């Protein structure tokens, strides 16, 4: 993916951005009087991140099923982890929870999902940030497995 272009992600997961938006909202509606109080309230909201995560999963599942209802995917990764390795794998996933768990490392991640609708096979790219890739050099390219085989 050409990161020099200003391409808007289809969907993103960024807990800091979610908490910041909630903190700003709490000030805006008058529930919190200052930034410190609003951040405390946002961070103590037991349901905020869970609700946002579930919403992300629903939205992404719908899009994945639109692109590839059979759920067989071909995944390629560049700059994975601290060793910056590349690789590929085929996975089966009909829902976003399974899809993300089979692709992303099992750690706290911030990620952006891009979907290239102009690509003949609706290519999916994920830019991932985590402790072993703090600047987001980890990129996944995903195609429906049938589309990958057809393109090869």
């Amino acid at each position: 993916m050409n990161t020099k272009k200003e391409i808007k992600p289809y969907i993103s997961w960024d807990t800091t951005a979610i908490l910041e938006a909630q903190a700003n909202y709490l000030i805006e509606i008058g529930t919190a009087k200052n930034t410190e109080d609003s951040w405390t309230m946002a961070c103590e909201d037991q349901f905020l991140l869970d609700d946002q995560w579930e919403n992300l999963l629903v939205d992404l599942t719908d899009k994945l099923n639109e692109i590839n209802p059979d759920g067989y995917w071909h995944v390629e990764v560049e700059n994975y982890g601290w060793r910056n390795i590349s690789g590929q794998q085929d996975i089966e996933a009909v829902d976003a929870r399974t899809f993300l768990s089979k692709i992303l490392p099992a750690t706290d991640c911030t990620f952006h999902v891009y979907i290239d609708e102009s690509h003949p096979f609706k290519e999916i790219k994920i830019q991932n940030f985590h402790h072993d890739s703090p600047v987001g050099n980890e990129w996944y390219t995903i195609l429906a497995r049938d589309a990958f085989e057809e393109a090869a």
Side-chain angles (χ1 to χ4, degrees):
M1 169 147 303
N2 184 352
T3 57
K4 297 201 187 286
K5 288 182 183 179
E6 287 298 320
I7 300 172
K8 184 177 178 184
Y10 172 74
I11 205 161
S12 293
W13 180 252
D14 182 341
T15 56
T16 301
I18 294 166
L19 293 169
E20 181 176 24
Q22 181 67 6
N24 290 338
Y25 175 71
L26 292 171
I27 290 174
E28 181 182 313
I29 64 171
T31 302
K33 302 292 184 226
N34 58 49
T35 303
E36 184 179 339
D37 288 345
S38 68
W39 269 93
T40 299
M41 293 168 76
C43 291
E44 289 177 349
D45 184 337
Q46 298 177 20
F47 303 104
L48 176 64
L49 294 177
D50 288 342
D51 288 345
Q52 292 295 315
W53 180 249
E54 291 303 319
N55 290 338
L56 178 142
L57 293 176
V58 168
D59 291 346
L60 186 55
T61 294
D62 289 346
K63 191 62 163 177
L64 294 174
N65 286 324
E66 175 190 314
I67 293 171
N68 182 21
D70 75 3
Y72 294 100
W73 302 93
H74 179 77
V75 181
E76 295 181 359
V77 64
E78 294 177 23
N79 301 314
Y80 179 81
W82 63 273
R83 295 187 309 162
N84 293 316
I85 60 174
S86 298
Q88 60 183 347
Q89 69 174 344
D90 290 330
I91 64 168
E92 181 180 358
V94 294
D95 63 83
R97 184 181 312 274
T98 305
F99 181 82
L100 293 171
S101 72
K102 288 187 175 186
I103 295 173
L104 300 177
T107 191
D108 288 335
C109 296
T110 294
F111 59 86
H112 306 292
V113 177
Y114 300 87
I115 299 175
D116 185 352
E117 298 281 350
S118 68
H119 189 279
F121 302 114
K122 294 189 178 178
E123 181 180 71
I124 300 169
K125 292 239 182 200
I126 300 175
Q127 181 184 23
N128 192 37
F129 303 76
H130 57 88
H131 66 278
D132 285 334
S133 184
V135 295
N137 288 335
E138 193 170 284
W139 282 91
Y140 300 84
T141 303
I142 303 113
L143 289 172
R145 191 167 63 203
D146 291 345
F148 171 77
E149 291 169 355
E150 184 178 322

